[in-house]
Amino acid sequence: MKTKVFLLTVTLLVSFFYAASLKAFDSEERVLIILDLSKSMNESLQTNETKIEVAKKAVTDVISSLPDDTSIGLRVYGHKSGFLGMNQCSKTELIAPIKPYNKETILDKVKDLEPNGVTPIAYSLKKAIGDFKGFEGSKRIVLISDGLETCNGDPCSFAKRLRSEGLNIKIDVISFGKNIKNFSIDSQLQCIALATQGQFSRAETHIDLVKAINNSVRVDKQIHWTIKPNY
């Protein structure tokens, strides 16, 4: 009798940790931050800091606080103007791939980022979809932008197409700066989020931006442990 009880207890424990590990794996969400490095990010805020200074600090603060095994990456656009201003609308780059234990790479890359180009949001989102290639489960893009698409792309239509095609990628959009008074900017950025069932938020300060990014990269990270007896 004691042997049976012991074996049942061991089975329950093994099943518990197996089920818990599966639940933890299933709940993991891959996250890609896309940071706007268009020239307008050189503009100053009311604090006399530039938008890019505040954005880099906010991204650094959030990334530093994440668990080391968070699957996260960083893509930028507008960081290059192209040769004599040519091909600016294709200047987007994955500077840190989506993977765990990636914090130090991202933090190192963020230090040297400088605004220099235009705003190819639609093209950057299209490229970002490929950054998730090979990943199962939920995926999230966190787009930080201070303005509209400037490359004749239509990010709103692109986001709607993603949803219609059944791709499991949500796009959270953070409108950075005083865009609340600009209906065109606010409308386009809101549409991207709504079309993919993502979150939309506005940020005018460092604290606002940290909260907004943090809300996105930590969403769906709660793990619910369950016991599934294997007998």
Side-chain angles (χ1 to χ4, degrees), residues 101-206:
Y101 305 101
N102 202 25
K103 288 170 52 175
E104 292 306 317
T105 298
I106 295 176
L107 294 174
D108 185 58
K109 296 285 187 179
V110 166
K111 295 176 185 177
D112 299 323
L113 296 178
E114 295 296 337
N116 197 30
V118 293
T119 312
I121 296 177
Y123 182 76
S124 298
L125 290 175
K126 181 179 179 180
K127 289 293 184 181
I129 302 307
D131 298 339
F132 290 96
K133 186 177 181 179
F135 292 136
E136 299 294 332
S138 59
K139 310 166 190 71
R140 186 176 301 270
I141 292 172
V142 184
L143 171 64
I144 304 169
S145 178
D146 77 330
L148 287 166
E149 164 81 38
T150 60
C151 287
N152 297 319
D154 189 344
C156 181
S157 293
F158 179 78
K160 289 178 179 178
R161 189 163 68 252
L162 283 181
R163 202 67 189 172
S164 67
E165 292 175 354
L167 293 179
N168 186 22
I169 299 179
K170 293 182 179 180
I171 305 176
D172 291 354
V173 182
I174 304 171
S175 179
F176 183 42
K178 289 186 173 296
N179 294 334
I180 192 169
K181 295 180 180 179
N182 190 317
F183 176 79
S184 295
I185 294 176
D186 225 27
S187 178
Q188 184 183 84
L189 296 181
Q190 275 186 329
C191 177
I192 297 169
L194 292 174
T196 59
Q197 297 185 352
Q199 302 178 112
F200 173 80
S201 54
R202 301 183 183 91
E204 293 186 22
T205 66
H206 169 257

